[in-house]
Amino acid sequence: MKNNDFKVKFWGVRGSYPVACKDFLDYGGNTSCIEVTAGSHRIILDGGTGIIPLGDKIYQEHISSADNVFDRTPMKVTVLLSHVHQDHIQGLNFFKPINILTTQFSLFGYSGFDSNLDETLSELIYGKSFPLNLYDITADCSINDITEADVLILNEENERPVVKRIFEADDIKPKDNEVVISFMKSNSHPNFGVMCFKISYKNKNIVYATDTECFYGGSKKLELFAKDTDLLIHDSQYTTEDYLSNIAPKQGFGHSTFNMAYDCAIAANVKKLAFFHFDPSYNDKKLTNIENFFKNKNENCFFAKEGMEICI
């Protein structure tokens, strides 16, 4: 990775559950996972099934770095979990780098439960539901809870991201080659809300807002958080018709419509909008029709697809 790179790559763009069918290949069937590279830092947003092929890629890079096991370049990743619902954590067990002794694995996230994040993950995806326990992971693993009063600072001076409490506006602005990650809690997603992320690097930033449902009059807190951002990645699970269905309405499910995402982007004056977290029943034909509608409306918005890479 070049020291001035700031890129986003989509590895999983579905919500709720993964799909494997020929009619879903264009957009992809894996659940939520995005890779962000900022300078020399690799940041992974959520651990849905998309994190599995991403882990395979990182693992192959590691293997190719040297013949001797101890001469290989260690894998170093920072993972951010928006929340612990199944479609955002179901790939973590199969992320190959966590099974390598020299991997430095730093995970930050929001549990929403009375227990800490490590205890919650241990109960949900290890132990009773998996052959291994969380503490059987061989990587150098650090699991941390975060709040919207915190920022993460990634730099070359510290081995791991540094957690710092916000006291003034300058605390969320990167200095020199720093990467600064700030947080916003959205309370619209059942049962305990979800954390949105802003990643800032070299006067540019991206906002990741999955599993959020807009309110009447717009989500003002999110609009302020994403104000003037270079890229807003916004939950877009439903069409308005499905959201307001007389048979099976989706109001209160904690997800946005495509129109909600678009309205938030316009209100926040973002430079680009990525629609994300699609309903698993929406096939390529349906998503293409919706995408064409919004592209004709505004050339600065697009639908996320697996394998798509964006330079910020």
Side-chain angles (χ1 to χ4, degrees):
M1 291 179 284
K2 297 179 180 178
N3 288 335
N4 60 350
D5 276 353
F6 195 14
K7 295 180 179 179
V8 174
K9 185 169 183 177
F10 296 94
W11 290 88
V13 302
R14 292 283 170 180
S16 300
Y17 57 86
V19 288
C21 178
K22 63 181 177 63
D23 296 328
F24 294 79
L25 294 177
D26 289 347
Y27 292 86
N30 280 307
T31 54
S32 303
C33 181
I34 295 174
E35 177 188 20
V36 178
T37 54
S40 60
H41 304 283
R42 175 182 273 122
I43 304 156
I44 300 173
L45 308 181
D46 276 328
T49 56
I51 202 173
I52 300 171
L54 170 55
D56 293 343
K57 186 199 82 165
I58 297 171
Y59 180 74
Q60 287 302 319
E61 291 173 356
H62 170 71
I63 295 296
S64 301
S65 64
D67 292 330
N68 187 290
V69 172
F70 294 101
D71 290 335
R72 290 172 183 160
T73 304
M75 292 173 281
K76 183 177 179 180
V77 293
T78 300
V79 178
L80 307 178
L81 290 185
S82 60
H83 61 314
V84 293
H85 286 176
Q86 187 180 40
D87 53 331
H88 294 261
I89 61 173
Q90 59 197 171
L92 285 174
N93 310 68
F94 306 98
F95 183 61
K96 281 184 180 177
I98 65 174
N99 298 311
I100 304 301
L101 183 67
T102 56
T103 297
Q104 187 184 97
F105 182 80
S106 302
L107 189 148
F108 298 85
Y110 173 66
S111 168
F113 296 91
D114 293 335
S115 56
N116 293 331
L117 182 61
D118 59 344
E119 297 169 329
T120 301
L121 289 176
S122 181
E123 293 171 2
L124 288 174
I125 61 175
Y126 286 95
K128 294 179 181 178
S129 62
F130 198 69
L132 300 177
N133 189 286
L134 176 64
Y135 302 103
D136 292 325
I137 291 175
T138 54
D140 181 7
C141 185
S142 172
I143 301 177
N144 310 269
D145 295 82
I146 46 92
T147 73
E148 61 180 354
D150 299 321
V151 292
L152 291 183
I153 300 173
L154 287 71
N155 55 39
E156 300 299 332
E157 286 72 43
N158 297 287
E159 283 292 311
R160 292 187 183 273
V162 175
V163 181
K164 181 179 179 181
R165 188 171 179 83
I166 300 173
F167 290 103
E168 54 188 32
D170 284 346
D171 290 336
I172 61 174
K173 297 177 182 177
K175 301 175 180 64
D176 301 322
N177 290 322
E178 285 182 345
V179 179
V180 175
I181 304 171
S182 49
F183 307 95
M184 187 215 89
K185 185 185 176 188
S186 169
N187 292 313
S188 63
H189 195 64
N191 285 321
F192 299 99
V194 64
M195 202 66 77
C196 301
F197 310 130
K198 181 188 289 182
I199 302 175
S200 302
Y201 177 64
K202 290 188 176 294
N203 299 316
K204 292 188 175 183
N205 57 67
I206 66 170
V207 170
Y208 176 72
T210 187
D211 292 61
T212 185
E213 183 173 353
C214 292
F215 304 97
Y216 176 76
S219 179
K220 297 304 177 185
K221 187 177 180 182
L222 179 55
E223 290 168 11
L224 289 171
F225 186 69
K227 188 69 176 175
D228 299 324
T229 193
D230 294 277
L231 174 64
L232 170 62
I233 303 167
H234 197 294
D235 185 285
S236 313
Q237 178 121 347
Y238 303 121
T239 63
T240 301
E241 290 76 15
D242 282 346
Y243 183 79
L244 299 175
S245 168
N246 288 325
I247 300 172
K250 305 301 190 297
Q251 286 180 324
F253 283 23
H255 295 288
S256 291
T257 66
F258 297 99
N259 285 314
M260 287 175 180
Y262 182 81
D263 290 345
C264 179
I266 295 301
N269 192 40
V270 308
K271 294 181 177 64
K272 287 187 179 296
L273 166 66
F275 295 97
F276 174 79
H277 203 275
F278 309 126
D279 187 280
S281 69
Y282 293 1
N283 61 21
D284 292 333
K285 183 178 179 181
K286 181 165 186 170
L287 288 177
T288 298
N289 288 336
I290 302 169
E291 181 176 21
N292 289 338
F293 171 81
F294 282 99
K295 276 188 172 179
N296 289 332
K297 194 173 184 179
N298 190 328
E299 62 181 8
N300 293 317
C301 61
F302 62 93
F303 277 36
K305 295 181 179 181
E306 282 185 30
M308 178 183 286
E309 190 171 62
I310 308 296
C311 292
I312 308 301

